């Protein structure tokens, strides 16, 4: 038995108990082996601490008298995360990176439940954001105990689709989009980064105090949060939603093939509705825009997961008809677990085939679909990839793989739950599909690059260059210090090269 624990609970307890079960702290009484608690006395007081320790031990928790390496959870009362860190620093105690800093409310809930309850944001103590997230801290600064702190980089945060801060992130995304329409890149990035960091929070922001310690929140973003907390809405967002330019650009860019340039032109010409544009005799449309108008209703209605799966079968059938050993992976939003998307993205690669066979594959697939009457639109772009070229330094740079942007005809009968299909006369839906063909050596980089989200990609590239002196793009990872390309056969290896914990695809919804 641990003598420390004996000293604490032992002498006072005189009740006879069977051997070995005399105290709640004997190893066999510990029900929850994975947690090792330490309760901070500071601001809590000796007697309350003793009471809570005893109670927790009786419930089967392992509670340490002293802080040691084995402690996984520090419980504190009336302390912020920063207070606890400061205390640890004063004590010259190094905390492990897995350490959880929790408010006493978590322990009390656990006591009520008789087992560890889920740790949510309301329990987790917030650490003020002036500690460097970099894992190679500069030698001048005293490195703080490595506790979980929100990183400024999305590639160091786990962002699932379970967004607790929709009310704020929706607002930021509207403001960001408006900046994009006005080609205000700076503010666009500010709002996108703010949206991204809030999506990763395990709790809902309910007061400005909750924003303490959260990085990537510039004043502009904080003002919006404050507005929403105080009034339930942001006046800035309201103004944008009523803005002529925003409304028009939003409408125009909803057409496949219409970007900022075309929108600007139509807006300046005085157009405000699509019907006027569609029927205007003087306007010239690209082939892409023609298709965009032709299949407009189908394309603006989102692609469901069931539809994406049906497309996946279609793609695999066609690809495997020509290259049976090819790997076909659904990427983009659906790989991140999204239930709907604006298109379906696929990465194709093959190990055993010749370069010629690989180059021909997409052509053959498109020809097959053309014959079958399934190809409603296609734009094939040949590869401009050069093996020895350094990765691109631009975080938003497009890749050089052979790829095609398509609109496919998906027959309702190919989807399992196709009940709605009979109601309308049309038996198919037009679906946007992106196919990317990459050399086998690059497939891990291409997969990482095409899985997104965009913000995640931007941040992992920034992280590579700012924190690691490496250049990452969809093709390769280059170490500038060692002047070598770092090879990887899986996404896990790329994260490892970058010194990052692996983030699963469904945690990349930044
Ligand atoms: N991408 C890319 N190069 C392109 C287009 C896209 O590298 N020319 C990457 C982007 O990083 C993006 C991912 O591929 O994260 C998927 O792109 P996209 O289909 O536009 O976005 P999704 O995340 O799939 O979202 P949605 O559901 O709207 O399709
Ligand atoms: Mn997509
Ligand atoms: Mn896409």
């Amino acid at each position: 038995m641990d003598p420390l624990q004996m000293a604490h609970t032992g002498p006072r307890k005189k009740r006879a108990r069977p051997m070995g079960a005399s105290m709640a702290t004997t190893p066999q009484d510990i029900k929850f082996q994975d947690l090792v608690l330490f309760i901070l006395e500071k601001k809590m007081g000796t007697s309350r601490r003793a009471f809570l320790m005893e109670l927790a031990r009786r419930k089967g928790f392992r509670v340490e008298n002293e802080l040691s390496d084995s402690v996984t959870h520090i419980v504190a009362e009336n302390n912020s995360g920063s207070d606890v860190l400061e205390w640890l620093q004063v004590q010259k105690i190094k905390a492990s990176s897995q350490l959880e800093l929790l408010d006493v409310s978590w322990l009390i809930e656990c006591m009520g439940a008789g087992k560890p309850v889920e740790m949510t944001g309301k329990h987790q103590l917030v650490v003020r954001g002036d500690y460097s997230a970099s894992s190679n801290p500069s030698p001048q600064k005293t490195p703080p105990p490595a506790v979980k702190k929100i990183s400024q980089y999305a590639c160091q945060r786990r962002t699932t689709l379970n967004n607790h801060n929709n009310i704020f992130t929706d607002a930021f995304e509207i403001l960001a989009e408006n900046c994009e329409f006005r080609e205000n890149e700076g503010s666009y990035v500010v709002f996108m980064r703010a949206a991204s960091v809030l999506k990763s929070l395990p709790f809902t922001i309910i007061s400005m105090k909750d924003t303490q310690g959260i990085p990537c929140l510039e004043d502009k973003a904080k003002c919006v949060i404050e507005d929403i907390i105080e009034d339930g809405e942001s006046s800035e967002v309201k103004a944008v939603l009523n803005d002529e330019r925003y409304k028009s650009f939003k409408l125009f860019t909803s057409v496949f093939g219409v970007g900022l340039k075309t929108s600007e032109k139509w807006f300046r010409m005085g157009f405000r509705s699509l019907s006027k544009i569609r029927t205007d005799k003087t306007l010239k449309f690209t082939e892409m825009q023609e298709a965009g108008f032709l299949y407009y209703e189908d394309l603006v209605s989102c692609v469901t997961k069931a539809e994406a799966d049906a497309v996946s079968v279609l793609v695999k059938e066609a690809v495997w008809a020509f290259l049976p050993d090819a790997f076909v992976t659904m990427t983009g939003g659906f790989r991140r677990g999204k239930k709907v998307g604006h298109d379906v993205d696929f990465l194709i690669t093959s190990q055993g085939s010749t370069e010629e066979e690989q180059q021909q594959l997409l052509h053959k697939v498109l020809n097959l679909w053309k014959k079958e009457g399934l190809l409603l639109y296609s734009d094939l772009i040949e590869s401009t990839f050069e093996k020895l070229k350094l990765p691109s330094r631009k975080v938003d740079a497009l890749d050089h793989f052979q790829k095609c942007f398509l609109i496919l005809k998906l027959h309702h009968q190919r989807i399992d739950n196709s009940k709605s299909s009979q109601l309308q006369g049309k038996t198919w839906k037009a679906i946007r599909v992106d196919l990317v063909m990459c050399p086998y050596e690059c497939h891990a980089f291409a997969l990482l690059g095409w899985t997104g989200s965009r913000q995640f990609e931007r941040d992992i590239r920034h992280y590579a260059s700012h924190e690691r002196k490496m250049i990452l793009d969809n093709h390769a990872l280059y170490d500038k210090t060692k002047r070598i390309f770092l090879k990887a056969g899986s996404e896990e290896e790329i994260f490892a090269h970058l010194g990052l914990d692996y983030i699963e695809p469904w945690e990349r919804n930044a």
Side-chain angles (χ1 to χ4, degrees):
M1 180 173 305
D2 184 347
L4 285 173
Q5 288 167 350
M6 176 89 135
H8 181 80
T9 52
R12 288 179 286 136
K13 293 267 153 23
K14 287 279 157 68
R15 256 183 300 153
R17 283 190 199 173
M19 279 285 286
S22 59
M23 263 167 278
T25 48
T26 52
Q28 59 266 44
D29 278 340
I30 294 172
K31 286 202 218 151
F32 315 109
Q33 299 284 353
D34 295 340
L35 319 191
V36 183
L37 313 190
F38 174 78
I39 303 174
L40 191 67
E41 188 175 299
K42 184 170 165 262
K43 293 194 187 166
M44 180 186 280
T46 323
S47 54
R48 181 162 162 82
R49 174 174 184 252
F51 161 75
L52 288 171
M53 283 170 73
E54 171 74 3
L55 189 64
R57 284 170 178 162
R58 279 168 182 260
K59 299 271 182 189
F61 287 78
R62 181 171 157 195
V63 188
E64 300 287 77
N65 286 9
E66 315 272 357
L67 189 60
S68 69
D69 281 343
S70 55
V71 168
T72 58
H73 294 59
I74 294 186
V75 177
E77 191 164 43
N78 299 324
N79 283 278
S80 72
S82 308
D83 294 337
V84 178
L85 284 189
E86 256 169 54
W87 180 83
L88 290 170
Q89 274 178 322
V90 171
Q91 310 290 311
K92 300 213 164 39
I93 290 165
K94 264 222 181 104
S96 90
S97 60
Q98 299 308 313
L99 198 61
E100 294 281 354
L101 304 186
L102 295 155
D103 184 70
V104 72
S105 59
W106 173 75
L107 185 64
I108 288 164
E109 279 178 40
C110 292
M111 298 300 97
K115 60 176 191 209
V117 298
E118 201 196 333
M119 290 169 282
T120 66
K122 64 177 184 191
H123 305 123
Q124 279 155 336
L125 297 175
V126 175
V127 177
R128 279 192 300 272
D130 42 8
Y131 291 125
S132 162
S134 150
S135 15
N136 44 357
S138 59
Q140 303 93 298
K141 269 194 244 161
T142 338
V147 289
K148 279 182 203 147
K149 182 221 151 234
I150 304 163
S151 170
Q152 62 169 312
Y153 297 108
C155 57
Q156 290 187 305
R157 305 191 292 254
R158 295 179 196 275
T159 315
T160 65
L161 290 165
N162 185 12
N163 178 359
H164 297 273
N165 291 284
N166 273 316
I167 187 170
F168 305 110
T169 59
D170 289 353
F172 287 146
E173 279 169 354
I174 290 164
L175 296 174
E177 200 174 27
N178 185 50
C179 296
E180 197 183 5
F181 293 161
R182 290 171 184 276
E183 291 177 59
N184 181 350
E185 172 74 13
S187 299
Y188 168 79
V189 171
V190 167
F191 289 126
M192 287 307 278
R193 273 165 52 92
S196 173
V197 75
L198 294 199
K199 285 180 190 176
S200 76
L201 297 181
F203 60 92
T204 305
I205 289 175
I206 51 169
S207 79
M208 286 315 283
K209 244 179 92 183
D210 295 334
T211 64
Q212 270 177 33
I214 302 175
C216 316
L217 289 183
E218 297 198 7
D219 287 347
K220 248 198 284 217
K222 281 204 172 137
C223 287
V224 175
I225 298 178
E226 200 161 12
D227 258 11
I228 295 175
I229 288 173
E230 281 172 12
D231 309 330
E233 61 180 10
S234 149
S235 50
E236 209 181 329
V237 171
K238 233 175 143 184
V240 166
L241 289 175
N242 280 316
D243 179 65
E244 279 289 296
R245 185 187 168 93
Y246 176 81
K247 286 194 286 188
S248 304
F249 271 61
K250 184 83 184 152
L251 187 64
F252 300 164
T253 55
S254 73
V255 180
F256 175 57
V258 178
L260 296 184
K261 249 199 261 157
T262 309
S263 298
E264 180 80 53
K265 192 177 92 190
W266 292 347
F267 183 72
R268 289 215 182 148
M269 290 171 80
F271 289 107
R272 295 293 180 268
S273 80
L274 289 181
S275 56
K276 283 268 162 55
I277 294 171
R278 244 174 179 172
T279 51
D280 191 280
K281 295 280 186 312
T282 62
L283 290 175
K284 277 216 173 81
F285 303 123
T286 64
E287 208 186 317
M288 206 178 198
Q289 291 161 354
E290 294 279 9
F293 280 121
L294 199 50
Y295 307 111
Y296 183 76
E297 276 72 29
D298 278 359
L299 298 184
V300 285
S301 85
C302 283
V303 183
T304 64
K305 181 66 170 57
E307 287 163 347
D309 288 336
V311 172
S312 176
V313 172
L314 200 66
V315 172
K316 284 175 178 167
E317 278 173 5
V319 167
W320 289 341
F322 304 108
L323 264 189
D325 85 317
F327 297 96
V328 178
T329 313
M330 199 191 287
T331 60
F334 288 108
R335 184 161 184 256
R336 300 196 308 273
K338 278 175 63 174
K339 296 279 184 283
V340 292
H342 95 281
D343 67 355
V344 200
D345 309 282
F346 294 92
L347 180 69
I348 305 166
T349 189
S350 149
Q351 199 171 13
S353 51
T354 65
E355 246 174 67
E356 167 77 9
E357 283 171 319
Q358 292 182 28
Q359 191 274 330
Q360 280 302 307
L361 179 71
L362 288 185
H363 292 273
K364 289 177 184 167
V365 166
L366 298 193
N367 277 331
L368 175 71
W369 285 337
K370 201 180 276 172
K371 267 193 228 140
E372 294 175 338
L374 300 181
L375 199 61
L376 301 176
Y377 171 85
S378 76
D379 178 17
L380 191 142
I381 295 159
E382 288 297 343
S383 164
T384 51
F385 179 59
E386 296 162 53
K387 258 187 184 155
L388 294 171
K389 219 169 133 185
L390 287 190
S392 171
R393 281 160 205 274
K394 286 188 22 211
V395 290
D396 286 318
L398 296 178
D399 64 46
H400 299 277
F401 299 128
Q402 186 193 38
K403 58 176 84 68
C404 51
F405 305 112
L406 312 173
I407 301 176
L408 287 188
K409 183 186 266 192
L410 180 68
H411 286 288
H412 288 314
Q413 73 215 39
R414 296 195 68 108
I415 313 161
D416 284 343
N417 41 7
S418 59
K419 287 177 203 127
S420 62
S421 63
Q422 265 63 45
L423 299 175
Q424 306 136 0
K426 206 164 116 240
T427 58
W428 53 272
K429 180 178 171 183
I431 310 251
R432 272 273 301 114
V433 175
D434 288 343
L435 303 182
V436 183
M437 183 79 202
C438 78
Y440 189 75
E441 310 81 69
C442 308
H443 78 274
F445 298 100
L447 182 60
L448 178 62
W450 275 85
T451 297
S453 69
R454 287 221 165 154
Q455 192 58 39
F456 188 91
E457 302 301 331
R458 265 186 221 121
D459 279 7
I460 196 168
R461 285 167 201 197
H462 274 301
Y463 178 86
S465 61
H466 296 163
E467 305 293 338
R468 299 287 170 200
K469 292 200 166 56
M470 292 181 188
I471 322 172
L472 172 71
D473 70 3
N474 283 9
H475 317 94
L477 176 63
Y478 182 77
D479 186 323
K480 287 201 285 180
T481 318
K482 295 185 186 147
R483 299 188 182 185
I484 50 166
F485 281 94
L486 300 169
K487 292 200 162 59
S490 66
E491 290 179 312
E492 282 88 342
E493 287 171 51
I494 304 173
F495 281 82
H497 281 315
L498 291 167
L500 287 170
D501 286 342
Y502 183 61
I503 305 288
E504 297 282 359
W506 55 90
E507 297 169 326
R508 298 182 206 161
N509 287 290

